[in-house]
Amino acid sequence: MSKPPKPSLAAIVAASSGRPQPTAEIVTLAVGTPRPRPATTLKERARQMSVYLEPPVYDQLRDIAHAERAKMHGLMLEALDLLFRQRGARSIQQLTETDPR
């Protein structure tokens, strides 16, 4: 002996109101692959890298940034640019102009 199926909430409401139960229709949507959104901010375009600095080194960098009213990030990029120049590598500006990433 199998149990009769349990009525749905919609069937119970329809029976109590005297109205016929609405029928459900399954709708399928044709969804293509989403278009990649172009990266608009540096945070979206760039890769993050951590740098561990000894406290006196960090403090000195922070003090220079404060005295020059600059951001520590900008000073770190300036330092990288100087390193690239010393090594005969392309500058950050040259890298970002030619590389579409």
Side-chain angles (χ1 to χ4, degrees):
M1 289 191 200
S2 63
K3 294 182 182 179
K6 292 184 178 182
S8 67
L9 180 59
I12 295 170
V13 171
S16 67
S17 66
R19 290 182 282 162
Q21 182 177 356
T23 59
E25 181 180 338
I26 297 175
V27 178
T28 59
L29 299 175
V31 179
T33 57
R35 282 188 247 157
R37 213 177 69 192
T40 56
T41 65
L42 178 61
K43 187 173 183 177
E44 292 173 338
R45 291 189 316 266
R47 292 191 181 172
Q48 185 176 0
M49 183 180 126
S50 296
V51 177
Y52 293 94
L53 304 173
E54 291 290 342
V57 176
Y58 176 85
D59 291 342
Q60 182 168 289
L61 178 61
R62 187 191 61 217
D63 291 344
I64 291 171
H66 178 74
E68 295 182 6
R69 297 199 182 282
K71 295 189 184 241
M72 292 169 60
H73 178 263
L75 294 176
M76 294 293 289
L77 290 177
E78 183 181 338
L80 283 173
D81 232 11
L82 288 170
L83 174 73
F84 294 160
R85 193 176 314 142
Q86 276 184 340
R87 301 289 199 274
R90 293 185 294 164
S91 69
I92 292 175
Q93 183 178 1
Q94 291 169 330
L95 291 169
T96 55
E97 285 175 354
T98 59
D99 193 1
R101 281 188 281 166

